[in-house]
Amino acid sequence: MKLKNILGLAVCLVGTGVFASCDDFFDLNPKDQLTTNTFWNTSEDVDAAVTAAYNWWVNNYVGSKFIFYEDSYSDIGFNYTNASNMRNMGRGSVSPTAAPNYWRQYETIRRCNFVIENIDLVPASAMTETEKNDFLAQVRAIRGYSHAYLATWYGDAVIMDFVPATADDAKLPREPEAKVKEHAMNDLMWSAEHIAEKPAEKGRIAKGTVLSMIARFNLLWGNYSEALDAANKVIALNQYELDPDFLNMFSMSGQNSKEIICTYEHVQTTYAYGDVIRFYNNSDGGWASFVPTQNMVDMFEMADGKLIDEPGSGYDPVHPFYNRDPRLKNTVIYSGLDWIGRNGVSRIFNTLDKTLPGGSSNKDYYTAADNASHTGMLWAKYLYPNQGQYSTSMNDDALCPIIFRYAEILLTKAECLVELNQDLQEAMNIIDRLRLRGGHIAVDRSKYDTQAKVRELVRRERTIELAGEGFRFEDIVRWDEYDKSGAKTGKKVAETVMPGDLYRLCGTVDYDEPDPDRRAVIDVNASREDRLVEVRYFDKKQFHLPIMQAEMDANPQLVQNDGY
């Protein structure tokens, strides 16, 4: 049974006892249950149970939206509405009653354990040993990913490797962070040894995805040798390559790009992606739920490779989008760009002017509505190249957000080479591949002649390449900060880049200017009141999330993270 078809079945089965879940801790006593006599008889039954574990496997809190929301926790993204407490992360106001609840990942873990505990009930005549190991490898990968995810966000966490018979059986204490990570990695390593070399169909976890998980989490945890080894193994599979058209892989027509390692599968109507509406701005009927910031724009170099604050860069704050790294417009949609709206009508994207030429009010003006981008920009990924690729309702789409892609693997290798001080030239060669793919120029080797300088380059390029894909917060809370001499300051990057005023640009759009990159005319003397998006705070306690109070109440053995 195909994954996209079986997803619909999985969603239905989630409501039964076999794949039960709940909003409060674990749902352990279903009133209506499929029995082992009627279910665990064929490989198709196992396939259905495994597929149920895929439902929201990457994030049981907000599903595939996490990819887009999580950058709003950081300096490069913003969320205005505080949907699911996402804005609280960015402005530093999280608490046990107002924070994202990733603890719900245990719902996914339970589904994985259910497969692991019952797969042997299927007769050997109905399923080969190879099929069995592949199914087990898929759910152990998901379980390993989930435990690793919990350890990354919370530190200490409960290790759940069985299906509790009662609610009391599920009330377990948190294990030390190191032990949770070890358990997660054991699952992932076993999976890598037993899973299929290639996915049977798009969206299935296979070896490349599992190795990518191993590489990602080891990088996040500072295990650079292990992350480098896993990244090299992904490269050695020879299954993936950079897409020469950067925006192609983020479009509906490019979903089979060879750069994509794994996506979060959706199929229109049957298992639809229901949140395209969050990408667009107010004039197009969108909600602008997650948007980039001026901090993101400022990271891009000028066309000649100089940073905007370098002497001789030619940066003009009145025309801040002019003569920039061409990858900027593939990442951020900013005022002045030519745009085709959801109605198919061409217009100039304009969030700067309260009133449009002709006197009509501008629905995209940054304070025109809650649904207008309050930073004045949108993410370009998944919006280009055309607006007609999505449903009229913007809530019934086959959009499949990318979870792992080859560029991340290359960037992991580059960062590991820098941190291990092994091959700085190869690290810059990798960065050149990404820059040249996007139309930018190669790295000026004369500027990056020390480990500290190459580290700064690789970090900036990682942020630029993966912007809008949910990586930035996890990076800035793990990255040590260095001073100009290359010495550690004793702080993490987040402690410097997060607190303070978050600003937008103010000005006007010159409709007579033919160059889209010069149409935005910025008022460099605009008041703080007009420019201010929000005031942000950051405390060291935010290196880990608080466990939600409801989870603490449900399980008295849990101990809250420090500072909450």
Side-chain angles (χ1 to χ4, degrees):
M1 190 179 297
K2 295 297 184 182
L3 179 60
K4 282 193 172 185
N5 293 330
I6 205 170
L7 278 169
L9 172 61
V11 173
C12 294
L13 290 174
V14 166
T16 73
V18 171
F19 310 113
S21 66
C22 67
D23 291 333
D24 298 318
F25 204 55
F26 303 112
D27 183 2
L28 302 170
N29 298 294
K31 297 178 180 179
D32 183 22
Q33 187 168 7
L34 296 175
T35 68
T36 55
N37 292 330
T38 61
F39 188 73
W40 297 100
N41 293 317
T42 67
S43 62
E44 286 77 15
D45 291 341
V46 180
D47 194 18
V50 170
T51 303
Y54 275 85
N55 184 43
W56 286 18
W57 68 272
V58 289
N59 184 296
N60 214 294
Y61 180 47
V62 291
S64 51
K65 293 194 294 294
F66 89 101
I67 293 170
F68 310 112
Y69 268 119
E70 285 185 359
D71 271 349
S72 66
Y73 301 174
S74 77
D75 56 327
I76 70 168
F78 176 69
N79 164 258
Y80 177 74
T81 61
N82 198 29
S84 303
N85 291 304
M86 298 296 183
R87 186 178 180 183
N88 286 340
M89 287 290 290
R91 60 187 173 189
S93 58
V94 289
S95 71
T97 57
N101 185 13
Y102 294 170
W103 205 256
R104 289 184 58 178
Q105 209 66 24
Y106 287 105
E107 296 176 23
T108 293
I109 292 172
R110 184 186 188 280
R111 297 180 193 183
C112 295
N113 288 335
F114 197 86
V115 175
I116 294 167
E117 289 188 5
N118 288 283
I119 194 170
D120 285 336
L121 296 174
V122 178
S125 59
M127 182 172 55
T128 68
E129 192 70 14
T130 299
E131 286 177 313
K132 174 184 173 181
N133 281 338
D134 187 56
F135 283 135
L136 282 173
Q138 289 181 59
V139 293
R140 286 193 66 171
I142 294 172
R143 187 177 72 174
Y145 179 100
S146 297
H147 278 111
Y149 197 69
L150 287 159
T152 300
W153 284 100
Y154 293 98
D156 298 351
V158 173
I159 294 177
M160 184 60 64
D161 57 2
F162 66 100
V163 178
T166 69
D168 285 339
D169 291 339
K171 295 176 181 178
L172 301 174
R174 299 167 73 188
E175 299 285 354
E177 179 178 348
K179 188 174 180 180
V180 181
K181 290 177 176 178
E182 180 183 12
H183 183 273
M185 204 51 63
N186 285 340
D187 265 345
L188 295 178
M189 297 299 289
W190 189 93
S191 177
E193 289 296 318
H194 294 86
I195 205 160
E197 186 87 2
K198 294 183 178 181
E201 54 189 315
K202 182 173 176 287
R204 285 285 184 186
I205 295 172
K207 189 177 290 289
T209 301
V210 179
L211 291 172
S212 296
M213 293 178 185
I214 294 170
R216 177 183 292 180
F217 286 113
N218 274 310
L219 181 72
L220 295 180
W221 301 340
N223 302 328
Y224 297 114
S225 294
E226 292 84 352
L228 178 60
D229 177 69
N232 280 330
K233 287 178 179 177
V234 175
I235 294 168
L237 291 174
N238 291 318
Q239 295 180 23
Y240 314 106
E241 60 187 47
L242 293 179
D243 195 320
D245 182 350
F246 178 74
L247 286 176
N248 174 61
M249 73 186 109
F250 301 103
S251 70
M252 296 296 292
S253 61
Q255 290 191 351
N256 291 318
S257 168
K258 294 189 73 174
E259 183 163 342
I260 296 173
I261 297 174
C262 187
T263 56
Y264 195 122
E265 287 298 287
H266 293 281
V267 58
Q268 193 169 23
T269 304
T270 303
Y271 193 76
Y273 183 84
D275 284 290
V276 163
I277 196 169
R278 297 181 184 273
F279 299 153
Y280 287 95
N281 211 12
N282 191 39
S283 287
D284 292 306
W287 297 350
S289 296
F290 21 73
V291 295
T293 67
Q294 190 61 34
N295 297 330
M296 178 75 254
V297 174
D298 290 346
M299 292 184 189
F300 285 85
E301 297 173 345
M302 302 299 290
D304 63 1
K306 289 185 171 66
L307 297 172
I308 63 173
D309 57 357
E310 278 189 69
S313 71
Y315 175 70
D316 179 5
V318 176
H319 298 103
F321 307 116
Y322 177 66
N323 200 32
R324 301 295 292 275
D325 176 347
R327 296 177 295 172
L328 174 57
K329 61 168 54 71
N330 284 341
T331 306
V332 176
I333 298 169
Y334 48 82
S335 288
L337 290 180
D338 295 319
W339 178 255
I340 300 176
R342 291 281 299 170
N343 56 5
V345 176
S346 298
R347 71 176 192 268
I348 292 175
F349 187 76
N350 180 0
T351 64
L352 297 175
D353 292 297
K354 193 171 185 178
T355 303
L356 295 173
S360 62
S361 60
N362 181 7
K363 293 181 179 179
D364 281 338
Y365 184 62
Y366 47 73
T367 57
D370 288 349
N371 289 353
S373 170
H374 285 247
T375 66
M377 294 175 284
L378 301 175
W379 292 114
K381 296 171 182 176
Y382 298 97
L383 284 187
Y384 286 141
N386 68 79
Q387 316 317 316
Q389 62 185 324
Y390 299 124
S391 64
T392 302
S393 64
M394 294 188 281
N395 65 2
D396 184 17
D397 295 284
L399 187 151
C400 300
I402 299 170
I403 307 169
F404 294 98
R405 62 183 177 97
Y406 192 52
E408 179 197 347
I409 295 301
L410 295 178
L411 286 162
T412 294
K413 179 174 182 176
E415 183 173 344
C416 291
L417 290 174
V418 172
E419 295 305 327
L420 295 169
N421 204 14
Q422 285 189 2
D423 192 339
L424 301 183
Q425 290 302 315
E426 176 58 18
M428 287 188 284
N429 289 340
I430 290 171
I431 297 305
D432 278 347
R433 292 175 64 184
L434 298 173
R435 289 164 68 103
L436 294 172
R437 184 265 293 269
H440 197 29
I441 61 175
V443 174
D444 181 353
R445 296 298 203 273
S446 67
K447 289 172 55 179
Y448 299 97
D449 54 359
T450 67
Q451 181 190 25
K453 291 178 182 178
V454 179
R455 176 187 291 117
E456 181 183 348
L457 169 71
V458 169
R459 287 181 175 183
R460 185 171 65 251
E461 291 288 337
R462 175 178 171 87
T463 303
I464 287 172
E465 174 69 29
L466 301 176
E469 298 178 58
F471 289 87
R472 178 65 173 173
F473 182 82
E474 291 176 336
D475 285 342
I476 60 178
V477 296
R478 69 180 174 89
W479 280 339
D480 290 314
E481 183 183 74
Y482 294 81
D483 61 24
K484 292 183 179 179
S485 70
K488 291 183 181 180
T489 66
K491 296 165 56 177
K492 298 296 185 181
V493 170
E495 295 176 75
T496 295
V497 302
M498 285 306 297
D501 293 346
L502 180 65
Y503 288 121
R504 58 177 158 245
L505 297 178
C506 297
T508 188
V509 169
D510 181 359
Y511 281 78
D512 294 326
E513 169 60 54
D515 186 343
D517 295 334
R518 288 181 61 88
R519 287 178 184 149
V521 182
I522 302 306
D523 179 4
V524 296
N525 296 313
S527 68
R528 177 181 181 273
E529 180 182 8
D530 287 340
R531 295 174 57 217
L532 186 65
V533 178
E534 72 175 358
V535 179
R536 292 180 152 189
Y537 303 90
F538 188 86
D539 187 272
K540 287 184 178 181
K541 68 181 182 181
Q542 292 170 245
F543 292 151
H544 285 134
L545 285 175
I547 300 173
M548 295 301 286
Q549 190 59 49
E551 305 290 352
M552 299 286 294
D553 294 341
N555 181 4
Q557 294 210 57
L558 296 178
V559 177
Q560 185 61 269
N561 275 327
D562 291 342
Y564 296 106

